[in-house]
Amino acid sequence: MDIWVFMDYLILGLGWVLFYSSHTFLATLNIKRKIRSLLKGQYKWYRLAYSLFSSLFFLALFLYAGSIPPIWLFASGPGSTYLGFMLATFGTIICVKSMRDVSVSRFLGLRPQDDLSENEPLVTDGWYGYMRHPLYAGLILIFMGYFLYVPNLSSLFHLAALLLYLPVGIYFEEKKLLTLYGRRYARYQKEIPAIIPRFGK
Protein backbone atom coordinates (compact mmCIF):
# COMPACT_ATOMS: atom_id res chain seq x y z
CA MET A 1 0.00 0.00 0.00
CA ASP A 2 1.30 3.44 -0.94
CA ILE A 3 2.32 5.56 2.08
CA TRP A 4 -0.08 8.36 1.08
CA VAL A 5 -2.99 5.94 0.73
CA PHE A 6 -2.06 4.49 4.13
CA MET A 7 -2.18 8.00 5.58
CA ASP A 8 -5.60 8.56 4.01
CA TYR A 9 -6.98 5.47 5.74
CA LEU A 10 -5.26 6.42 8.99
CA ILE A 11 -6.97 9.83 8.85
CA LEU A 12 -10.29 8.12 8.12
CA GLY A 13 -9.86 5.84 11.13
CA LEU A 14 -8.91 8.76 13.38
CA GLY A 15 -11.89 10.68 12.01
CA TRP A 16 -14.25 7.93 13.13
CA VAL A 17 -12.58 7.82 16.56
CA LEU A 18 -13.06 11.58 16.90
CA PHE A 19 -16.64 11.40 15.63
CA TYR A 20 -17.78 8.71 18.06
CA SER A 21 -15.79 10.20 20.96
CA SER A 22 -17.36 13.63 20.46
CA HIS A 23 -20.78 12.03 19.93
CA THR A 24 -20.64 10.36 23.36
CA PHE A 25 -18.79 13.18 25.14
CA LEU A 26 -21.20 15.93 24.10
CA ALA A 27 -24.22 13.84 25.12
CA THR A 28 -23.10 13.07 28.69
CA LEU A 29 -25.14 14.66 31.44
CA ASN A 30 -22.18 16.35 33.16
CA ILE A 31 -21.03 18.04 29.95
CA LYS A 32 -24.57 19.11 29.07
CA ARG A 33 -25.01 20.59 32.54
CA LYS A 34 -21.77 22.56 32.20
CA ILE A 35 -22.81 23.81 28.77
CA ARG A 36 -26.22 24.82 30.13
CA SER A 37 -24.56 26.82 32.91
CA LEU A 38 -22.55 28.67 30.25
CA LEU A 39 -25.31 29.17 27.68
CA LYS A 40 -28.12 29.72 30.20
CA GLY A 41 -31.31 30.55 28.23
CA GLN A 42 -29.69 29.71 24.90
CA TYR A 43 -29.14 26.09 25.97
CA LYS A 44 -32.50 25.24 24.42
CA TRP A 45 -30.71 25.29 21.03
CA TYR A 46 -27.98 22.89 22.14
CA ARG A 47 -29.64 19.74 20.88
CA LEU A 48 -30.17 21.23 17.42
CA ALA A 49 -26.52 22.36 17.28
CA TYR A 50 -25.45 18.90 18.42
CA SER A 51 -27.57 17.22 15.70
CA LEU A 52 -26.21 19.53 12.99
CA PHE A 53 -22.62 19.03 14.12
CA SER A 54 -22.98 15.23 14.18
CA SER A 55 -24.73 15.12 10.80
CA LEU A 56 -22.12 17.31 9.08
CA PHE A 57 -19.25 15.39 10.67
CA PHE A 58 -20.83 12.09 9.56
CA LEU A 59 -21.31 13.36 6.01
CA ALA A 60 -17.74 14.73 5.89
CA LEU A 61 -16.33 11.31 6.81
CA PHE A 62 -18.23 9.62 3.97
CA LEU A 63 -17.19 12.32 1.50
CA TYR A 64 -13.58 12.00 2.59
CA ALA A 65 -13.74 8.20 2.27
CA GLY A 66 -15.07 8.65 -1.26
CA SER A 67 -11.99 10.69 -2.16
CA ILE A 68 -9.57 7.92 -1.13
CA PRO A 69 -8.33 5.60 -3.90
CA PRO A 70 -10.40 2.45 -3.28
CA ILE A 71 -8.85 -0.84 -2.24
CA TRP A 72 -11.34 -3.53 -3.23
CA LEU A 73 -11.57 -6.50 -0.88
CA PHE A 74 -13.61 -8.71 -3.21
CA ALA A 75 -15.50 -8.42 -6.46
CA SER A 76 -19.15 -7.56 -5.94
CA GLY A 77 -21.64 -9.72 -7.78
CA PRO A 78 -25.43 -9.95 -8.07
CA GLY A 79 -25.63 -12.02 -4.88
CA SER A 80 -23.64 -9.65 -2.66
CA THR A 81 -25.33 -6.61 -4.21
CA TYR A 82 -28.80 -8.04 -3.59
CA LEU A 83 -27.93 -9.05 -0.02
CA GLY A 84 -26.47 -5.60 0.58
CA PHE A 85 -29.65 -3.92 -0.62
CA MET A 86 -31.77 -6.25 1.53
CA LEU A 87 -29.75 -5.61 4.69
CA ALA A 88 -29.67 -1.84 4.13
CA THR A 89 -33.40 -1.76 3.40
CA PHE A 90 -34.28 -3.78 6.49
CA GLY A 91 -31.97 -1.61 8.60
CA THR A 92 -33.66 1.53 7.27
CA ILE A 93 -37.09 0.08 8.06
CA ILE A 94 -36.00 -0.64 11.64
CA CYS A 95 -34.65 2.91 12.06
CA VAL A 96 -37.76 4.54 10.58
CA LYS A 97 -40.21 2.40 12.56
CA SER A 98 -38.33 2.88 15.82
CA MET A 99 -38.40 6.66 15.31
CA ARG A 100 -42.20 6.51 15.17
CA ASP A 101 -42.16 5.81 18.90
CA VAL A 102 -40.22 8.99 19.73
CA SER A 103 -40.66 12.66 18.92
CA VAL A 104 -38.41 13.29 15.90
CA SER A 105 -38.55 17.07 16.36
CA ARG A 106 -37.45 16.68 19.96
CA PHE A 107 -34.83 14.06 19.09
CA LEU A 108 -33.22 16.37 16.52
CA GLY A 109 -33.68 19.55 18.54
CA LEU A 110 -36.10 21.12 16.07
CA ARG A 111 -38.32 21.96 19.04
CA PRO A 112 -36.08 24.12 21.25
CA GLN A 113 -36.21 23.14 24.90
CA ASP A 114 -34.13 22.45 27.98
CA ASP A 115 -33.85 18.66 27.82
CA LEU A 116 -32.15 18.57 31.22
CA SER A 117 -35.23 19.98 32.94
CA GLU A 118 -37.80 17.83 31.16
CA ASN A 119 -37.14 14.13 30.54
CA GLU A 120 -38.52 12.44 27.48
CA PRO A 121 -40.93 9.59 28.21
CA LEU A 122 -39.20 6.21 28.43
CA VAL A 123 -40.26 4.35 25.28
CA THR A 124 -40.62 0.58 25.68
CA ASP A 125 -43.19 -0.13 22.95
CA GLY A 126 -42.81 -1.01 19.28
CA TRP A 127 -39.28 -2.02 18.33
CA TYR A 128 -38.15 -0.91 21.79
CA GLY A 129 -40.15 -3.85 23.12
CA TYR A 130 -37.77 -6.21 21.30
CA MET A 131 -34.42 -4.45 21.79
CA ARG A 132 -33.22 -1.45 23.74
CA HIS A 133 -31.31 0.13 20.85
CA PRO A 134 -33.15 -0.48 17.57
CA LEU A 135 -31.47 2.54 15.94
CA TYR A 136 -28.07 0.98 16.50
CA ALA A 137 -29.33 -2.36 15.19
CA GLY A 138 -30.65 -0.62 12.08
CA LEU A 139 -27.35 1.18 11.54
CA ILE A 140 -25.42 -2.09 11.77
CA LEU A 141 -27.58 -3.57 9.01
CA ILE A 142 -27.25 -0.42 6.88
CA PHE A 143 -23.46 -0.36 7.22
CA MET A 144 -23.24 -4.11 6.52
CA GLY A 145 -25.40 -3.64 3.45
CA TYR A 146 -23.27 -0.72 2.27
CA PHE A 147 -20.12 -2.82 2.69
CA LEU A 148 -21.57 -5.66 0.59
CA TYR A 149 -22.68 -3.17 -2.06
CA VAL A 150 -19.33 -1.28 -2.05
CA PRO A 151 -16.85 -3.91 -0.80
CA ASN A 152 -13.77 -1.75 -0.38
CA LEU A 153 -11.54 -0.92 2.58
CA SER A 154 -13.31 2.38 3.32
CA SER A 155 -16.65 0.60 3.71
CA LEU A 156 -15.01 -1.90 6.04
CA PHE A 157 -13.62 0.99 8.09
CA HIS A 158 -17.13 2.45 8.43
CA LEU A 159 -18.55 -0.88 9.61
CA ALA A 160 -15.63 -1.74 11.91
CA ALA A 161 -15.70 1.71 13.55
CA LEU A 162 -19.42 1.34 14.30
CA LEU A 163 -19.04 -2.18 15.72
CA LEU A 164 -16.08 -1.14 17.89
CA TYR A 165 -17.92 1.93 19.16
CA LEU A 166 -21.23 0.28 20.06
CA PRO A 167 -20.19 -1.40 23.35
CA VAL A 168 -18.71 1.90 24.55
CA GLY A 169 -21.60 4.01 23.25
CA ILE A 170 -24.23 1.72 24.76
CA TYR A 171 -22.42 1.68 28.11
CA PHE A 172 -22.37 5.47 28.44
CA GLU A 173 -25.85 5.93 27.01
CA GLU A 174 -27.35 3.42 29.43
CA LYS A 175 -25.42 4.94 32.32
CA LYS A 176 -27.19 8.21 31.50
CA LEU A 177 -30.57 6.50 31.12
CA LEU A 178 -30.18 4.78 34.50
CA THR A 179 -29.53 8.19 36.06
CA LEU A 180 -32.61 9.68 34.38
CA TYR A 181 -35.11 6.83 34.84
CA GLY A 182 -33.69 4.82 37.72
CA ARG A 183 -35.40 1.53 38.53
CA ARG A 184 -37.72 1.75 35.51
CA TYR A 185 -34.80 1.59 33.14
CA ALA A 186 -32.95 -0.99 35.25
CA ARG A 187 -35.97 -3.29 35.00
CA TYR A 188 -36.30 -2.64 31.27
CA GLN A 189 -32.56 -3.30 30.88
CA LYS A 190 -32.93 -6.73 32.50
CA GLU A 191 -35.97 -7.72 30.47
CA ILE A 192 -35.02 -6.53 26.97
CA PRO A 193 -31.77 -7.33 25.08
CA ALA A 194 -29.59 -4.50 23.80
CA ILE A 195 -29.40 -5.11 20.04
CA ILE A 196 -30.18 -8.72 19.11
CA PRO A 197 -33.98 -8.94 19.43
CA ARG A 198 -35.75 -11.64 21.38
CA PHE A 199 -39.16 -12.15 19.79
CA GLY A 200 -40.29 -14.96 22.05
CA LYS A 201 -40.35 -15.17 25.82
Side-chain angles (χ1 to χ4, degrees):
M1 183 187 297
D2 182 87
I3 184 64
W4 296 112
V5 175
F6 173 79
M7 290 300 296
D8 285 335
Y9 283 103
L10 179 62
I11 292 171
L12 179 62
L14 292 175
W16 277 117
V17 170
L18 184 59
F19 171 80
Y20 285 124
S21 298
S22 63
H23 183 76
T24 295
F25 178 76
L26 294 173
T28 58
L29 289 176
N30 286 338
I31 295 302
K32 290 171 77 172
R33 285 167 182 153
K34 289 178 181 179
I35 291 174
R36 182 175 66 173
S37 68
L38 291 173
L39 297 180
K40 302 189 183 305
Q42 298 304 312
Y43 174 77
K44 62 184 180 180
W45 298 103
Y46 177 73
R47 193 156 191 167
L48 178 60
Y50 171 81
S51 297
L52 289 172
F53 169 77
S54 296
S55 299
L56 291 173
F57 200 157
F58 187 86
L59 178 61
L61 285 170
F62 270 86
L63 290 175
Y64 180 75
S67 71
I68 300 174
I71 297 176
W72 299 99
L73 302 179
F74 59 87
S76 61
S80 62
T81 299
Y82 177 77
L83 181 58
F85 270 120
M86 290 296 292
L87 289 174
T89 299
F90 189 49
T92 302
I93 290 171
I94 291 175
C95 289
V96 171
K97 285 188 173 291
S98 63
M99 288 305 293
R100 289 180 180 176
D101 299 310
V102 300
S103 170
V104 176
S105 61
R106 181 169 182 158
F107 181 82
L108 296 176
L110 299 175
R111 190 174 69 192
Q113 63 181 2
D114 184 342
D115 59 355
L116 289 174
S117 299
E118 181 184 349
N119 289 341
E120 298 178 44
L122 178 61
V123 179
T124 58
D125 298 324
W127 278 95
Y128 290 90
Y130 300 107
M131 48 187 157
R132 301 194 303 274
H133 303 281
L135 284 175
Y136 286 154
L139 283 176
I140 291 173
L141 293 177
I142 291 171
F143 277 45
M144 287 177 64
Y146 183 73
F147 171 65
L148 290 174
Y149 182 68
V150 186
N152 60 29
L153 190 56
S154 294
S155 301
L156 183 60
F157 264 61
H158 302 329
L159 177 60
L162 175 64
L163 294 177
L164 289 172
Y165 163 74
L166 283 182
V168 178
I170 288 174
Y171 170 79
F172 283 105
E173 184 173 340
E174 297 205 326
K175 185 177 179 181
K176 179 176 69 175
L177 292 169
L178 284 168
T179 300
L180 293 173
Y181 300 105
R183 292 181 180 177
R184 288 180 61 205
Y185 192 82
R187 184 169 60 251
Y188 172 66
Q189 194 177 37
K190 290 180 180 179
E191 295 174 352
I192 305 298
I195 290 179
I196 300 175
R198 185 173 61 237
F199 292 101
K201 292 185 178 181

